[in-house]
Amino acid sequence: MRGLTDAGPSRGPASAQAVITAAAVLAALALFAVACGTGGTGARDEGPAHADSVGNAPAAKVPSPNPSQSYDKVNAVALVKADPAVSATVKRDLKPCSGNEYPVDVTYGNLTGGTVDDVVVNVLTCGDAGGPGFGVGAYVYRNESGAYLNVFKAEESPVYAEIDKGDLSVTKQVYEKGDPVSSPSGENVITYSWAAGHFVQQDFHHTDYGNVAGGDTEDPSGTS
């Protein structure tokens, strides 16, 4: 113990100052290490501050969908029966298949550029199972000043009309002599667009189904 007691006085004032300085440096280093070891209090403080800045920023605007045409539901059966352009045969045969279920398909969409959706009505037959069969009439009605006017009709049975990318597509089954109703020989698809107040034919293509039953098929070249 004497050796330790003697070492103190032998250092002198300069040595004591050096010891104090070294201790201060070590203490500062220790505080820095503690701050870094905790993950950085500053880093944790920075997170909430960043979140607040994002929360206070104006929200990104989500583009709203384009407004659709005005949609007015119609009584298609009453519309067809009151239409003078519809044949008497179609009107007479337009009866419920079961209960109050009429064989009518109705589609709404923009075909003529009006402010109210046009109405495409397909009048069908009653199939064997009581459901809709093939089409006997296809009509397009345009709303003009609150009244629906017939702007297109096709009654060459079987026929079916639908909206295809803003155009009117009409499909007509083609029968050859001896074809049963359930097996047409082909079909014609005609595309119309609205121009100058009426529908104008834009495209036509024919599909020949051929003899899918496996019988003889006539060679169109006439070589067989």
Side-chain angles (χ1 to χ4, degrees):
M1 294 297 294
R2 183 176 177 82
L4 291 175
T5 304
D6 291 344
S10 66
R11 289 193 180 99
S15 296
Q17 183 65 36
V19 171
I20 294 171
T21 302
V25 171
L26 289 174
L29 289 174
L31 289 173
F32 179 78
V34 170
C36 293
T38 59
T41 303
R44 287 199 300 268
D45 291 343
E46 185 66 18
H50 179 69
D52 290 341
S53 63
V54 172
N56 293 331
K61 293 183 177 180
V62 178
S64 59
N66 293 329
S68 61
Q69 294 287 106
S70 174
Y71 167 80
D72 288 339
K73 189 173 182 179
V74 301
N75 184 331
V77 174
L79 190 62
V80 168
K81 288 192 172 184
D83 184 359
V86 177
S87 69
T89 301
V90 171
K91 292 180 181 180
R92 183 184 65 246
D93 294 340
L94 182 52
K95 300 176 182 179
C97 294
S98 60
N100 292 324
E101 297 296 326
Y102 283 84
V104 173
D105 278 353
V106 185
T107 304
Y108 300 86
N110 183 12
L111 283 171
T112 67
T115 57
V116 178
D117 277 345
D118 303 302
V119 184
V120 179
V121 180
N122 286 284
V123 178
L124 314 174
T125 61
C126 294
D128 294 336
F134 61 86
V136 296
Y139 312 94
V140 178
Y141 294 93
R142 170 184 166 88
N143 187 298
E144 294 186 5
S145 302
Y148 282 95
L149 302 180
N150 187 322
V151 292
F152 178 89
K153 77 169 183 175
E155 294 179 336
E156 300 84 2
S157 176
V159 61
Y160 193 87
E162 57 191 332
I163 300 173
D164 182 13
K165 298 178 180 179
D167 290 330
L168 177 65
S169 178
V170 180
T171 301
K172 299 180 180 180
Q173 302 293 328
V174 177
Y175 290 87
E176 294 182 359
K177 185 177 180 179
D179 287 342
V181 175
S182 59
S183 300
S185 296
E187 69 177 20
N188 296 330
V189 179
I190 310 170
T191 303
Y192 300 88
S193 62
W194 184 259
H198 63 281
F199 282 104
V200 178
Q201 181 175 323
Q202 295 295 324
D203 187 40
F204 170 90
H205 68 267
H206 171 79
T207 299
D208 190 353
Y209 296 155
N211 193 336
V212 296
D216 293 335
T217 302
E218 181 181 355
D219 185 344
S221 65
T223 59
S224 62

